[in-house]
Amino acid sequence: MDKAIADGLDVISLSIDSDTPFPLYEDPIAIAAFAAMEKAGNATSEIPIIIVKTCLDKEELLKATDKFVVCIDKNTSIEDQVINVNQSKVAGGIFITNNFGTNLNVYLNLGFPAGFLNLQDGDHVLKYINNSSSPKAKIGLQGTLTGTETV
């Protein structure tokens, strides 16, 4: 993949099937693809952030087109918020919640960039947004952490 990016290739199409899929953080294809995309410059641009209180209001999400949304769980269904964000045209979502549900694999198979933070960590993001005149977000591969070793 790195060679294809270096050669200027714009599209790489892979069809791979497995009876036992890797978790995203262990999937060598996903890791390589994300790293190649980052080297190509597609994952390093900063995108404006907007706070959408619960991400349950689809009209409010329409105003957030091409922005990262921060969705704050106020004892609502995080799954409904994820579905609404997935159906909108936002650049990505940051979900602040302590209610991750029981099936985290659902969150690893999203069709958009997303991060899930507990309320304590989410508070740091909210402070950044509230203290910045133009808050921005970007997603980039910093490494893969499995257990206690960086791979």
Side-chain angles (χ1 to χ4, degrees):
M1 285 187 204
D2 288 336
K3 175 77 170 120
I5 295 294
D7 290 345
L9 189 67
D10 292 322
V11 176
I12 299 174
S13 176
L14 298 172
S15 275
I16 301 173
D17 188 20
S18 173
D19 291 335
T20 55
F22 290 100
L24 186 61
Y25 58 85
E26 291 180 358
D27 186 336
I29 302 291
I31 293 168
F34 198 72
M37 179 181 69
E38 186 174 44
K39 285 180 184 176
N42 295 330
T44 59
S45 58
E46 293 182 340
I47 301 169
I49 301 174
I50 187 170
I51 296 175
V52 179
K53 292 181 180 142
T54 65
C55 294
L56 292 174
D57 184 346
K58 292 181 181 184
E59 294 296 320
E60 196 172 358
L61 285 170
L62 287 175
K63 298 174 193 173
T65 299
D66 297 326
K67 294 179 176 72
F68 263 89
V69 295
V70 176
C71 307
I72 305 166
D73 182 12
K74 300 283 186 180
N75 297 321
T76 58
S77 170
I78 192 68
E79 289 85 5
D80 290 342
Q81 293 185 48
V82 170
I83 290 167
N84 285 348
V85 170
N86 193 38
Q87 293 173 348
S88 69
K89 295 183 181 190
V90 301
I94 301 169
F95 299 89
I96 299 174
T97 182
N98 276 338
N99 180 18
F100 291 103
T102 57
N103 189 359
L104 290 178
N105 287 327
V106 170
Y107 302 127
L108 296 176
N109 295 314
L110 299 173
F112 62 95
F116 294 85
L117 302 173
N118 63 33
L119 298 177
Q120 182 178 359
D121 292 335
D123 190 49
H124 295 292
V125 172
L126 295 174
K127 284 179 183 172
Y128 160 71
I129 293 168
N130 291 325
N131 292 321
S132 176
S133 60
S134 180
K136 305 266 193 249
K138 71 178 180 178
I139 292 181
L141 182 64
Q142 300 298 315
T144 302
L145 185 66
T146 56
T148 58
E149 286 185 52
T150 301
V151 179

